[in-house]
Amino acid sequence: MPVNVLFAAREEKWEDYEQPLRHALAKAGLEADLRSQFPPDEVDYIVYAPNSWLQDFTPYTRAKAVLNLWAGVENVVGNASLRIPLARMVDEGLSQGMVEWVTGHVLRLHLGIDSHINGQDGHWRPTAPPLAKNRPVTILGLGTLGTACGQALAALGFPVTGWSRSKKSVDGMTCLYGPEGLQQALSGAEIVVLLLPHTPHTENVLNAETLAMLPKGAMVLNPGRGALVDDAALLAALDRGHIAQATLDTFRTEPLPPENPYWAHPKVTVTPHIASATRCDTAAEVIAENIRRGEAGLDFLHLVDRSAGY
Amino acid sequence: MPVNVLFAAREEKWEDYEQPLRHALAKAGLEADLRSQFPPDEVDYIVYAPNSWLQDFTPYTRAKAVLNLWAGVENVVGNASLRIPLARMVDEGLSQGMVEWVTGHVLRLHLGIDSHINGQDGHWRPTAPPLAKNRPVTILGLGTLGTACGQALAALGFPVTGWSRSKKSVDGMTCLYGPEGLQQALSGAEIVVLLLPHTPHTENVLNAETLAMLPKGAMVLNPGRGALVDDAALLAALDRGHIAQATLDTFRTEPLPPENPYWAHPKVTVTPHIASATRCDTAAEVIAENIRRGEAGLDFLHLVDRSAGY
């Protein structure tokens, strides 16, 4: 009897994912019936995007797990009708894309590349930037993405400090935690990268108070979650020159509305939530592996702790 | 009796280097007399910049070695009056700066960062770039700098091919050599990085013929030597759209004159020979170590093979 797999995401995603998922399920040795519609009580697994039509899980009486297509789970984790295991997407492509975006933008800010792109005026100004070893970087968040980015930056020579709410340890980085650790992590950072999950505890983690802990001239990267930043406080800190630059990939409202002041701010670069995009091929393999594990009676990978919210 | 060390470089460099050199010589346990002027026949070692006033080495009858402050030796290696060992600068800072510049600009081109910096127009265009593993990079030149850059890029996931005139092998990279290897190295490259020394064999290595070997849309980085590029051929390839972008840090004439077409070309970014700047502190330590070795009767490090020209 085949395993019934429901694909619950927006219609255009079905076009992107159908073939990669069929291929990955077959490759995992599964006889699966994959569809974008099913009678709810016949579904074994739900491949899920939190912005899909499926918001009431109650009728899915037989389903064994919800396999999220996104790394972020904040729009599903609090769904009271969800009573089966929820797995987040931990996709090699997702993590790798984030490492590339973070490393690229840290180096861009470190090397002052914007001044070259915008300064092709015939004047030769041969001032070399400092070396990476003299440019401390702090990463808020030591999950899969924060750890991978921190280690890539450390390999390039940056002194990297990582901060998390609870105590952690990562090779090659100075790890700090808790409220006191946050003060220390920010006060020495020339570049700060936000890679925390969005939870009630991390909302507005970058606010007037914590921005003031950063040294004057610090630069901010937010490829994490829009709600980590108090937008008004960041704009004020940019305007008074305390923060030199912000490059933001995530926002409270996406797409970021054209009238949002970030677009026109001379010290802000907006990128359109591309740092960590799920790539269909690698994501499909993660989904198929979790279905294989479920059918084999093994634990699911990447389960969400719903009490913690991530 | 102290070792007499002549510092032969432009005057402003004496200000930069005097203290770091005194410090490094003392740290190396040497009793040295360091000056920017000496009677030639009293000099034991010459710390040397090829653009200095010293062009005739004949009167330096007692000198044991010329210790170059630059990585590039093309403006001294052919000097017929030079008959003592010549050591190039192989400075950790020099190599590290190059790795940072090359990695930063490869990621900038790979991620399409310019389109974000210049495209803050309120339009949300959420197209993620490919992953690094799908962006082949070729490095021409597998000396200290080419090898270090190639390994840094490979660590970030780029498939890296390295090319050298003679056969070499580097972990993590596909290594090709000779004329046939060059065709293969270029034909698969989306980004090509020039890190060859300037010799009669490498002059204009990037010319109309080799540019045509690159796939349409390829991008060029030249942090190596200006003379590696046939400038007219590169401008023509950019104008007809075969090459999408060139970022150039080195030029036949430096400073690059304001009227040079590279400055105004929309597909060219000029950076002012900053990729690999000698940092005084680390360079002084390399110089001191070579003097220590000379006094101890050991072989000099980083000796130039003058028959090969590098």
Side-chain angles (χ1 to χ4, degrees):
Chain A
M1 219 177 80
V3 185
N4 291 340
V5 180
L6 172 67
F7 185 85
R10 290 189 177 173
E11 206 173 308
E12 65 271 22
K13 293 292 171 189
W14 178 237
E15 291 169 28
D16 295 341
Y17 273 100
E18 185 183 356
Q19 289 315 316
L21 275 171
R22 289 197 191 289
H23 182 75
L25 290 163
K27 202 172 143 196
L30 292 160
E31 190 195 338
D33 188 359
L34 172 72
R35 301 191 223 163
S36 61
Q37 294 189 337
F38 258 117
D41 62 356
E42 294 179 15
V43 170
D44 296 308
Y45 295 91
I46 303 171
V47 178
Y48 189 66
N51 66 351
S52 79
W53 50 267
L54 200 174
Q55 296 299 329
D56 179 8
F57 292 95
T58 314
Y60 294 83
T61 49
R62 182 171 117 183
K64 297 173 193 165
V66 172
L67 308 171
N68 213 42
L69 280 167
W70 300 1
V73 292
E74 63 267 29
N75 294 324
V76 57
V77 75
N79 188 320
S81 70
L82 177 65
R83 294 170 177 276
I84 54 174
L86 169 67
R88 65 162 64 258
M89 177 53 61
V90 178
D91 166 23
E92 181 213 359
L94 211 59
S95 172
Q96 175 62 22
M98 183 62 87
V99 168
E100 295 175 16
W101 189 95
V102 168
T103 309
H105 284 279
V106 165
L107 282 166
R108 166 197 158 212
L109 299 177
H110 166 62
L111 296 170
I113 286 179
D114 295 33
S115 71
H116 297 296
I117 293 173
N118 297 322
Q120 298 288 299
D121 57 2
H123 288 266
W124 187 261
R125 302 175 185 87
T127 306
L131 290 175
K133 69 178 177 183
N134 298 316
R135 180 83 72 184
V137 178
T138 286
I139 297 182
L140 302 190
L142 288 175
T144 308
L145 299 178
T147 300
C149 291
Q151 291 185 320
L153 293 170
L156 285 166
F158 291 97
V160 180
T161 298
W163 179 86
S164 49
R165 287 188 58 231
S166 54
K167 192 169 180 174
K168 291 195 181 179
S169 168
V170 180
D171 281 351
M173 298 166 56
T174 302
C175 293
L176 301 171
Y177 69 101
E180 282 162 39
L182 185 60
Q183 158 89 47
Q184 191 184 338
L186 293 177
S187 64
E190 294 189 18
I191 299 175
V192 62
V193 185
L194 307 186
L195 280 169
L196 289 158
H198 173 207
T199 73
H201 294 102
T202 64
E203 177 135 3
N204 290 331
V205 65
L206 204 65
N207 54 39
E209 188 187 350
T210 52
L211 283 161
M213 294 173 185
L214 289 163
K216 186 174 159 63
M219 298 176 273
V220 172
L221 295 179
N222 184 14
R225 287 285 173 246
L228 300 176
V229 176
D230 176 336
D231 296 315
L234 176 58
L235 286 163
L238 287 159
D239 285 337
R240 74 169 185 275
H242 183 67
I243 300 298
Q245 220 281 344
T247 293
L248 310 171
D249 187 57
T250 56
F251 305 91
R252 283 190 154 75
T253 304
E254 294 183 3
L256 187 68
E259 66 277 12
N260 186 290
Y262 282 142
W263 280 115
H265 201 288
K267 295 177 182 171
V268 175
T269 307
V270 171
T271 68
H273 206 142
I274 53 168
S276 181
T278 302
R279 269 79 179 177
C280 304
D281 290 11
T282 47
E285 288 173 16
V286 175
I287 299 279
E289 170 63 10
N290 250 346
I291 295 176
R292 187 194 71 77
R293 295 177 72 93
E295 293 304 290
L298 301 169
D299 290 342
F300 292 108
L301 299 174
H302 317 311
L303 280 183
V304 173
D305 174 354
R306 271 177 282 171
S307 64
Y310 59 92
Chain B
M1 217 177 79
V3 184
N4 290 340
V5 179
L6 172 68
F7 185 84
R10 289 188 177 172
E11 205 172 309
E12 65 271 21
K13 293 292 172 190
W14 176 239
E15 292 168 26
D16 295 340
Y17 274 100
E18 185 184 355
Q19 288 315 316
L21 275 171
R22 289 198 191 288
H23 182 74
L25 290 163
K27 202 171 145 195
L30 291 161
E31 189 196 339
D33 188 1
L34 173 72
R35 301 192 223 162
S36 61
Q37 293 189 337
F38 257 117
D41 61 355
E42 295 179 13
V43 171
D44 295 308
Y45 295 92
I46 303 171
V47 178
Y48 188 67
N51 67 350
S52 78
W53 50 267
L54 199 175
Q55 296 299 328
D56 179 9
F57 292 95
T58 315
Y60 294 82
T61 49
R62 183 171 117 183
K64 297 173 192 166
V66 171
L67 307 172
N68 213 43
L69 281 167
W70 300 359
V73 293
E74 65 266 30
N75 295 325
V76 55
V77 74
N79 188 319
S81 71
L82 176 64
R83 294 169 178 277
I84 54 174
L86 169 67
R88 64 163 63 257
M89 177 52 63
V90 178
D91 164 24
E92 182 213 359
L94 210 60
S95 172
Q96 175 62 22
M98 182 63 86
V99 168
E100 294 174 18
W101 189 96
V102 167
T103 308
H105 283 279
V106 165
L107 281 166
R108 166 197 158 211
L109 299 177
H110 165 62
L111 296 171
I113 286 179
D114 295 33
S115 71
H116 297 296
I117 293 173
N118 297 322
Q120 297 289 301
D121 57 2
H123 289 266
W124 187 261
R125 302 175 185 87
T127 307
L131 290 175
K133 69 178 178 183
N134 297 316
R135 180 83 73 185
V137 177
T138 286
I139 297 182
L140 302 190
L142 288 174
T144 308
L145 299 178
T147 300
C149 291
Q151 292 185 319
L153 292 170
L156 285 166
F158 292 97
V160 181
T161 298
W163 179 85
S164 49
R165 286 187 61 229
S166 55
K167 191 169 180 174
K168 292 195 181 179
S169 169
V170 179
D171 281 352
M173 298 166 56
T174 302
C175 293
L176 301 171
Y177 70 101
E180 283 161 38
L182 185 59
Q183 158 90 48
Q184 191 184 335
L186 293 177
S187 63
E190 294 188 20
I191 298 176
V192 61
V193 185
L194 307 187
L195 281 169
L196 288 158
H198 174 207
T199 72
H201 294 102
T202 64
E203 176 136 4
N204 289 330
V205 65
L206 204 66
N207 54 40
E209 189 186 349
T210 53
L211 283 161
M213 293 174 184
L214 289 162
K216 185 175 159 62
M219 298 176 273
V220 172
L221 295 179
N222 184 13
R225 287 285 172 244
L228 300 175
V229 176
D230 177 337
D231 296 316
L234 176 57
L235 286 163
L238 287 159
D239 285 337
R240 73 169 187 275
H242 184 66
I243 300 298
Q245 219 282 344
T247 292
L248 311 170
D249 187 58
T250 56
F251 305 91
R252 283 189 154 75
T253 305
E254 294 182 3
L256 187 68
E259 67 276 13
N260 187 290
Y262 281 142
W263 280 115
H265 201 288
K267 296 177 181 169
V268 175
T269 307
V270 170
T271 66
H273 206 141
I274 54 169
S276 182
T278 301
R279 269 81 177 175
C280 305
D281 290 9
T282 47
E285 288 174 16
V286 175
I287 299 279
E289 170 63 9
N290 250 345
I291 294 175
R292 187 193 70 79
R293 294 177 71 92
E295 292 305 291
L298 301 169
D299 290 342
F300 292 108
L301 299 173
H302 317 311
L303 279 183
V304 173
D305 175 354
R306 270 177 283 170
S307 65
Y310 61 91

